[in-house]
């Protein structure tokens, strides 16, 4: 669903159809959007802001001045992936076409670079007036998507064109506008329509209720992979042991331990076209975590460890057994400190992945906790591609390019990283 994860400003201007915007808000949220409602003063005469606040992902905003945060219009304009105005009144359309920022919604429309969808609703005479039709044509010529009103019964018992379009049409137009904007930014091509399962972060294995065994993984690389895959059109499910904020993806599942991660991943991998195991999953855990906090007075605890399930190896096994979707691509990560490639080769072979993203964590600017990373892509056939130090979202893009090539069954290309 292309709307999942999108940040949407839902603008509501003052017409009787404002009540229908409540249903649209609910449908956008159900589709996985993060929605901030923005109401004009007149809209609040038809429906209270509290109704929109209760159903939106964020409280409704109505004021250009006097709110908690300064310059709300530029903040909202930059935040939005998409602006939908429903209903758009004759006044809003006229002001927007003329470049007049009369209120918060008008200013947000001028301050955003996101795609804009407007859904006019007004009396038939007003809709057909040349002033409105000219303004609509001008907005269209600037790339604004206009969802034409339906014909039918209007307020006051009149008939004609002017009814706010049905929510399905508005949602379709919104999804189309988002997809077109992504395509224009060079995104949304190769992973569109694929389900991509990404894991991130380091698991925590409890010793007692307050202590755990952890590792240095921050989750940044995994979260970047999830976000970039979503930008490229994939439906992304992120299973994360990291405490980083949730990226904009279809679904985020928070886990703590290796066994929770294994259950979530193996429970979902049956429908995944791509699985990227970027999580640093603990290889062992305390066999019998104490239910009570261990105290010094009890003496030194004896820590008996047991192995955890190897999720990546299990994914490889299931695929080999024909239990995975046709063409599933499996990507693993390997953080090494010595004999890097040799160990990575053995790991790739043992776990049955298509690609291993290999990290020499002793290199400066690479691996745990850094904003940047430097990796070697190791393919099943033994080919390697060095990717020099770059921000983690850039590395994510390179890994996903490799995934797209693997989906097309093509060998690695020299252009995906620096020269080997
Ligand atoms: N992994 C996993 N389940 C585990 C441990 C690791 O799925 N229980 C995955 C990681 O997400 C990563 C890859 O396996 O994609 C490599 O993990 P690593 O711990 O380096 O591999 P090990 O097989 O544990 O190798 P070693 O400890 O010998 O380095």
């Amino acid at each position: 669903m292309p709307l999942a994860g999108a940040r949407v400003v839902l603008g509501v201007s003052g017409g009787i159809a404002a009540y229908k915007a409540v249903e649209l808000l609910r449908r956008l949220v159900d589709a996985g959007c993060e929605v901030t409602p923005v109401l004009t003063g007149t809209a609040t005469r038809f429906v209270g802001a509290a109704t929109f606040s209760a159903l939106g992902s964020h409280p409704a905003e109505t004021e250009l001045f006097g709110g908690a945060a300064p310059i709300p219009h530029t903040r909202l304009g930059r935040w939005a992936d998409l602006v939908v105005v429903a209903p758009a009144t004759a006044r809003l359309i006229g002001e927007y076409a003329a470049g007049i920022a009369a209120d918060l919604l008008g200013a947000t429309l001028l301050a955003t670079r996101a795609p804009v969808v407007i859904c006019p609703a007004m009396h038939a005479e007003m809709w057909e007036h040349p002033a409105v039709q000219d303004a609509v044509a001008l907005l269209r010529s600037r790339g604004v998507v206009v969802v034409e009103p339906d014909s039918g019964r209007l307020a006051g018992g009149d008939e004609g064109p002017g009814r706010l379009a049905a929510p399905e049409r508005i949602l379709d137009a919104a999804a189309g506008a988002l997809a077109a904007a992504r395509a224009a930014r060079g995104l949304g091509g190769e992973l569109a329509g694929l389900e991509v399962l990404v894991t991130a972060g380091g698991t925590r294995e409890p010793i007692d209720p307050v202590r755990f065994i952890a590792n240095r993984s921050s989750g940044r690389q995994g979260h970047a992979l999830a976000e970039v895959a979503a930008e490229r059109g994939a439906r992304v499910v992120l299973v994360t042991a990291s405490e980083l904020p949730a990226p904009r993806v279809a679904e985020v599942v928070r886990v703590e331990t290796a066994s929770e991660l294994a259950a979530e991943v193996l429970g979902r991998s049956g429908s995944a076209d791509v699985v990227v195991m970027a999580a640093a999953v603990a290889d062992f855990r305390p066999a019998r975590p104490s239910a009570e906090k261990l105290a010094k007075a009890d003496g030194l605890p004896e820590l008996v460890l047991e192995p955890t399930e190897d999720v990546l190896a299990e994914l490889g096994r299931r695929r080999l057994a024909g239990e995975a979707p046709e063409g599933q691509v499996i990507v693993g990560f390997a953080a090494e400190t010595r004999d890097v490639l040799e160990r990575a080769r053995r790991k790739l072979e043992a776990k049955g992945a298509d690609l291993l993203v290999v990290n020499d964590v002793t290199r400066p600017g690479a691996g745990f906790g850094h904003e940047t990373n430097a990796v070697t892509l190791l393919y099943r056939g033994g080919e390697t591609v060095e990717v020099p130090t770059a921000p983690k979202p850039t590395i994510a893009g390179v890994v996903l390019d490799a995934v797209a090539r693997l989906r097309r069954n093509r060998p690695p290309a020299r252009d995906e990283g620096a020269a080997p």
Side-chain angles (χ1 to χ4, degrees), residues 22-70:
V22 175
E23 171 67 7
L24 181 62
L25 169 59
R26 210 182 50 78
R27 302 276 284 262
L28 285 165
V29 170
D30 285 351
C33 298
E34 189 183 342
V35 188
T36 303
V38 176
L39 278 64
T40 65
T42 327
T44 61
R45 291 179 174 234
F46 289 92
V47 187
T51 303
F52 288 92
S53 291
L55 296 172
S57 324
H58 301 283
E61 303 209 23
T62 55
E63 301 295 329
L64 195 45
F65 300 103

Side-chain angles (χ1 to χ4, degrees), residues 199 258 277-283 308-313 331-336 343 347 351 356:
T199 67
M277 287 292 300
V281 187
D283 289 322
T308 58
E309 179 170 11
D310 191 321
V311 184
L312 185 58
V331 180
F333 272 64
E336 305 288 352
R343 282 169 174 268
K347 212 168 272 186
K351 302 205 184 198
L356 212 57

Side-chain angles (χ1 to χ4, degrees), residues 93 96-97 116 118-120 127 132-149 169:
I93 291 169
Y96 183 25
V116 175
I118 63 167
C119 312
W127 171 244
V132 174
Q133 287 299 313
D134 287 355
V136 166
L138 187 57
L139 289 174
R140 273 208 174 100
S141 74
R142 294 177 184 153
V144 172
V145 174
V146 180
V147 183
E148 297 259 343
R169 280 184 56 214

